[in-house]
């Protein structure tokens, strides 16, 4: 079984530019989550998809962040325009049954300079 | 809101020895899940062990076991017979049961180094 795939693994962009992160969940997993870890801080929840619908987006920091999940398969997280404080590691996770925890991807390290 | 505290930013242990990582949490909920995740240097987080709050019995997975003290809101992880492959960041996490989105609340993590 293929795991959760995220790309790019690293991205360095300038302040004001746009970046799009992609996540491919495990096939058949209806639940897809985005989390973010800013340096030295806790991993924070961003949002949760069930299939193609946003179940909970209470963790999205502001309207510069836009998440989509096309046809209930892969998801993208776009940051536009990027700010310095957006730097961090963005994790994607998927699950079929939340009770047993998620399967995480390796993360995308975003650096805004 | 829930909070999770891991008071040990870094720890080290000799290979084959036993180490305990601490985690405390604060919640007013009665039904929830607790997890320990491991993130090796390759960066993918892996679920180590989970505990259901309504179960009194401590969870065990091979060399990994937890000491769950619900009244004290404590959830420590014990690693027995430590191996070099146990070197990783360890995150304690809380999930409220029945919450629509089933989001995890994480602690800041403990960096564990296993020394040969």
């Amino acid at each position: 079984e293929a795991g959760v795939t995220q790309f790019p693994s690293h991205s360095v962009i300038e302040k004001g530019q746009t970046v799009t992160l992609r996540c491919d969940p495990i096939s058949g997993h209806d639940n897809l989550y985005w989390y973010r870890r800013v340096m030295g801080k806790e991993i924070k929840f961003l949002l949760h998809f069930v299939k193609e619908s946003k179940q909970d987006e209470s963790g999205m920091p502001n309207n510069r962040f836009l998440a989509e999940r096309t046809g209930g398969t892969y998801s993208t997280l776009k940051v536009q325009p990027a700010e310095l404080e957006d730097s961090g590691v963005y994790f994607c996770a998927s699950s079929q049954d939340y009770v047993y925890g998620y399967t995480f991807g390796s993360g995308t390290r975003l650096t805004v300079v | 809101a829930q909070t999770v505290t891991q008071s040990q930013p870094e720890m080290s242990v000799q290979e084959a020895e036993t180490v305990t990582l601490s985690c405390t949490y604060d919640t007013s909920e009665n039904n929830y899940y607790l997890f320990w995740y491991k993130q090796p240097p390759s960066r993918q987080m892996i679920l180590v062990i989970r505990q259901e709050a309504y179960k009194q019995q401590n969870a065990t997975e091979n060399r990994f076991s937890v000491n769950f003290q619900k009244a004290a809101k404590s959830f420590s992880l014990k690693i027995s017979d430590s191996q070099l492959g146990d070197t990783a960041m360890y995150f304690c996490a809380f999930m409220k049961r029945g919450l629509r989105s089933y989001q995890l609340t994480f602690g800041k993590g403990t960096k564990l180094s296993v020394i040969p």
Side-chain angles (χ1 to χ4, degrees):
Chain A
E1 173 182 80
V4 176
T5 305
Q6 291 186 248
F7 46 92
S9 57
H10 293 85
S11 180
V12 180
I13 62 171
E14 293 184 350
K15 177 182 172 181
Q17 289 186 324
T18 297
V19 63
T20 300
L21 314 181
R22 172 166 169 152
C23 170
D24 286 56
I26 291 174
S27 178
H29 280 191
D30 290 337
N31 297 287
L32 187 149
Y33 303 81
W34 284 97
Y35 283 79
R36 176 175 74 169
R37 186 182 187 205
V38 173
M39 181 69 72
K41 298 199 173 180
E42 296 90 343
I43 301 168
K44 294 284 193 182
F45 168 81
L46 295 178
L47 87 160
H48 170 210
F49 284 100
V50 177
K51 297 185 180 179
E52 68 274 9
S53 299
K54 292 177 185 175
Q55 182 77 6
D56 181 356
E57 53 183 330
S58 62
M60 295 288 264
N62 51 61
N63 59 10
R64 295 185 294 102
F65 289 75
L66 175 64
E68 295 179 325
R69 189 177 182 191
T70 306
T73 56
Y74 71 91
S75 175
T76 58
L77 180 65
K78 183 163 72 173
V79 185
Q80 178 183 30
E83 298 289 344
L84 298 178
E85 64 264 25
D86 300 333
S87 295
V89 180
Y90 290 76
F91 293 99
C92 175
S94 72
S95 73
Q96 189 53 33
D97 182 344
Y98 70 92
V99 172
Y100 295 95
Y102 316 151
T103 300
F104 279 87
S106 296
T108 294
R109 182 174 297 277
L110 174 64
T111 303
V112 183
V113 297
Chain B
Q2 285 70 231
T3 59
V4 177
T5 302
Q6 293 179 249
S7 59
Q8 306 148 314
E10 292 192 42
M11 294 187 72
S12 62
V13 62
Q14 290 290 137
E15 194 174 5
E17 297 294 309
T18 295
V19 63
T20 299
L21 281 57
S22 67
C23 172
T24 58
Y25 58 95
D26 187 22
T27 184
S28 58
E29 302 295 329
N30 195 46
N31 292 319
Y32 50 88
Y33 299 94
L34 294 163
F35 303 86
W36 277 98
Y37 280 90
K38 164 186 176 180
Q39 188 180 26
S42 63
R43 299 194 294 136
Q44 182 173 21
M45 271 198 289
I46 304 164
L47 177 64
V48 174
I49 200 165
R50 61 182 285 272
Q51 175 79 41
E52 298 169 50
Y54 62 89
K55 288 187 176 179
Q56 292 186 334
Q57 185 174 7
N58 289 324
T60 299
E61 288 288 341
N62 300 311
R63 298 183 295 107
F64 298 88
S65 61
V66 298
N67 182 5
F68 174 49
Q69 302 289 328
K70 190 172 183 179
K73 296 179 182 176
S74 172
F75 183 61
S76 60
L77 175 70
K78 185 171 83 171
I79 306 174
S80 303
D81 185 26
S82 297
Q83 301 176 0
L84 296 179
D86 296 332
T87 293
M89 281 290 292
Y90 286 81
F91 294 98
C92 179
F94 172 102
M95 179 191 286
K96 178 181 172 182
R97 187 177 179 184
L99 181 66
R100 199 172 57 138
S101 76
Y102 310 121
Q103 60 179 271
L104 290 167
T105 300
F106 286 90
K108 287 187 177 182
T110 296
K111 184 178 181 180
L112 177 68
S113 299
V114 180
I115 302 166

